[in-house]
Amino acid sequence: MKVAVFGGGWAGCAAAIEARKAGADVELVERTDMLLGTGLVGGIMRNNGRFTVAEELKAMGANELIDLIDNNSLHKNIDFPGHEHSSLYNVAIIESEVRDLVHKMGIKTIFQMRGKEVRLKDNKVTEVLLDDGSKMKADAFIDATGSAGPIENCTKHGNGCVMCIYRCPTFGGRISISEKAGVKESQGKKEDGSTGAMSGSCKLIKESLAKDIQDRLKNAGVCIVPVPKDLQKKDALELKVCQQYAHKEYQENIILLDCGNSKMMTAYYPLSVLRNIPGFEKARFADPISAGIGNSMRLMSSVPRDNTMQVQNIDNLYCAGEKAGFLVGHTEAICTGTLAGYNAVKKVKGEKPLEISRNLAIGEGIAFNLEQMQTEEGLQNRYTFSGTILFERIKELDLYTTDIGDIKARVEENGLTNIYK
């Protein structure tokens, strides 16, 4: 029994881990030379409803990645505008830690490779033709190729290639397995009808900032620097894919988080303006390198699926991460990836797939997102457990809590304790 996972971000890694735990031989195909995708420059976990979801995952038996992240967090239980009890993991070392875990579990990784063509028979994927001409055969496939880029989308809908962590000029752009299988994909929209959304943060070289800013970041994990009114960016909030960070405080201040680098919570900032702000006179960008101009464009690719993460009309193809409906964030990727990996194996075994109860935040998030994605308005929303429409919903349904005992009890009441073990 073999499962092939395409895309090595948090979603793909979670899918590969769970499929392996369920007894499959797993091959993980990654376009670049590193795992984790945006997780290489992200770093925020456990903020707001993501705390609940992380503990639900652990209670369900999917603790491997959550524990690894917790063990590599630089700061825990910090607050910043609109967000409480956050953890910030160290982006400098997290990839090597995840790679070690994946290899120890016996998952085969194939780097610098993409799926170029998909062959089908009787509504099933039989094989995927790779960049080098070889064929990937498996019993089930998981599309975790994401929703960002490639360069032509960043040029058409954004401010061009800004040399971000995706590194499309080096490794080639994203290729969607689902699209190659003939599945019609959706694209996210902004309120003005334009396509996609820009990644919501950029990274500064910490040593390029004033010493007092460095010290505040090291000691507190967060640093908030007021921006003079004449230097404030007027469009700072509307552009962002991460709408959970679209509060007015993010326009009136520069909000920095210590994730190993200095994470600036805005999509981009013209360098000539930034260097006029006290403390940023020598500022330099680490990612994207051209973050004075723009950022990567995302929400370019979502596939129709059901609540087991199976792609519509393809019997053995599953999806995870932003590909599964603009569920934005590392925690969200781990949730959908874990479920996709679990159900891919269930499909091969001929067993009933798992649909997570809506009595849990995870189940409600996956099901609510699916409902919303059927509407034009839904395509304009971003879905995350840490903010916006989805966080508000799980609060309204009384699913949000930081009481770990209550979370464990709820998982047990729904018969899902250690379901992923």
Side-chain angles (χ1 to χ4, degrees), residues 94-401:
I94 196 71
E95 193 271 347
S96 62
E97 296 288 326
V98 174
R99 191 186 293 222
D100 286 348
L101 172 64
V102 165
H103 287 166
K104 286 176 183 177
M105 294 187 69
I107 297 166
K108 180 180 179 181
T109 51
I110 303 174
F111 289 99
Q112 295 179 229
M113 196 69 67
R114 301 171 299 173
K116 293 182 66 176
E117 299 295 337
V118 174
R119 290 174 181 160
L120 299 157
K121 184 178 181 181
D122 299 327
N123 293 323
K124 289 185 176 181
V125 177
T126 58
E127 62 185 22
V128 176
L129 185 67
L130 304 182
D131 272 324
D132 63 358
S134 62
K135 298 174 182 177
M136 174 68 72
K137 296 178 182 289
D139 299 294
F141 297 80
I142 298 172
D143 185 353
T145 55
S147 75
I151 291 175
E152 51 264 33
N153 280 332
C154 291
T155 300
K156 182 177 180 180
H157 303 292
N159 296 344
C161 176
V162 292
M163 293 181 281
C164 73
I165 195 64
Y166 289 114
R167 297 170 290 158
C168 299
T170 302
F171 299 106
R174 167 185 59 82
I175 298 178
S176 168
I177 300 301
S178 299
E179 184 179 39
K180 290 296 183 180
V183 177
K184 184 178 180 180
E185 299 184 331
S186 300
Q187 295 180 319
K189 300 291 182 182
K190 294 191 280 289
E191 288 187 5
D192 63 4
S194 58
T195 300
M198 194 171 281
S199 291
S201 67
C202 49
K203 291 79 202 167
L204 294 163
I205 297 174
K206 196 181 297 182
E207 292 76 10
S208 72
L209 307 178
K211 182 66 164 53
D212 68 305
I213 293 178
Q214 295 182 47
D215 291 342
R216 288 158 67 187
L217 282 170
K218 181 179 179 179
N219 295 329
V222 58
C223 181
I224 300 175
V225 181
V227 176
K229 279 193 175 182
D230 61 322
L231 297 178
Q232 291 178 13
K233 291 173 58 192
K234 304 307 179 187
D235 62 346
L237 305 185
E238 291 80 4
L239 292 171
K240 301 173 70 160
V241 66
C242 307
Q243 284 294 295
Q244 67 271 30
Y245 308 121
H247 303 280
K248 66 181 180 65
E249 290 91 342
Y250 293 83
Q251 180 170 302
E252 297 171 352
N253 304 277
I254 290 180
I255 297 177
L256 301 173
L257 303 177
D258 178 18
C259 300
N261 54 30
S262 179
K263 184 179 180 76
M264 183 164 66
M265 303 302 290
T266 188
Y268 67 96
Y269 222 110
L271 191 60
S272 59
V273 178
L274 181 63
R275 286 182 170 178
N276 281 312
I277 299 171
F280 296 85
E281 293 87 353
K282 299 180 180 180
R284 275 193 58 190
F285 290 109
D287 177 81
I289 294 175
S290 300
I293 303 298
N295 213 316
S296 58
M297 293 301 295
R298 288 158 60 190
L299 308 191
M300 294 293 175
S301 174
S302 172
V303 299
R305 49 117 181 135
D306 64 18
N307 287 331
T308 72
M309 309 314 295
Q310 183 178 331
V311 175
Q312 194 175 87
N313 299 324
I314 309 290
D315 289 346
N316 65 339
L317 180 60
Y318 291 78
C319 61
E322 287 182 10
K323 179 71 69 178
F326 306 150
L327 286 154
V328 178
H330 310 327
T331 307
E332 292 77 1
I334 294 170
C335 287
T336 54
T338 300
L339 183 59
Y342 182 87
N343 280 330
V345 174
K346 285 287 187 182
K347 170 66 73 171
V348 177
K349 290 181 176 180
E351 298 175 357
K352 183 180 179 180
L354 173 64
E355 187 170 325
I356 299 175
S357 169
R358 295 183 77 156
N359 293 324
L360 300 184
I362 294 173
E364 178 59 30
I366 289 172
F368 178 69
N369 170 257
L370 177 61
E371 293 169 353
Q372 291 293 302
M373 289 294 289
Q374 313 304 312
T375 68
E376 284 298 316
E377 182 181 359
L379 292 174
Q380 296 177 11
N381 288 322
R382 316 294 178 249
Y383 303 89
T384 167
F385 294 109
S386 68
T388 68
I389 184 174
L390 179 53
F391 183 43
E392 293 304 315
R393 182 169 179 84
I394 65 171
K395 286 194 293 184
E396 289 170 6
L397 296 173
D398 201 27
L399 297 176
Y400 165 56
T401 178

Side-chain angles (χ1 to χ4, degrees), residues 15-77:
I17 288 169
E18 189 55 39
R20 182 63 180 154
K21 286 166 61 180
D25 293 326
V26 179
E27 294 196 36
L28 177 58
V29 182
E30 163 54 33
R31 176 181 61 87
T32 72
D33 58 356
M34 289 190 287
L35 299 174
L36 297 189
T38 55
L40 290 165
V41 291
I44 306 174
M45 296 287 291
R46 290 187 175 270
N47 48 329
N48 296 345
R50 288 173 176 162
F51 185 100
T52 306
V53 170
E55 291 301 327
E56 285 182 353
L57 281 167
K58 290 180 67 173
M60 294 170 72
N63 60 289
E64 293 83 3
L65 290 176
I66 301 300
D67 288 344
L68 183 150
I69 291 167
D70 286 344
N71 291 336
N72 287 279
S73 290
L74 293 167
H75 305 277
K76 296 181 179 180
N77 199 32

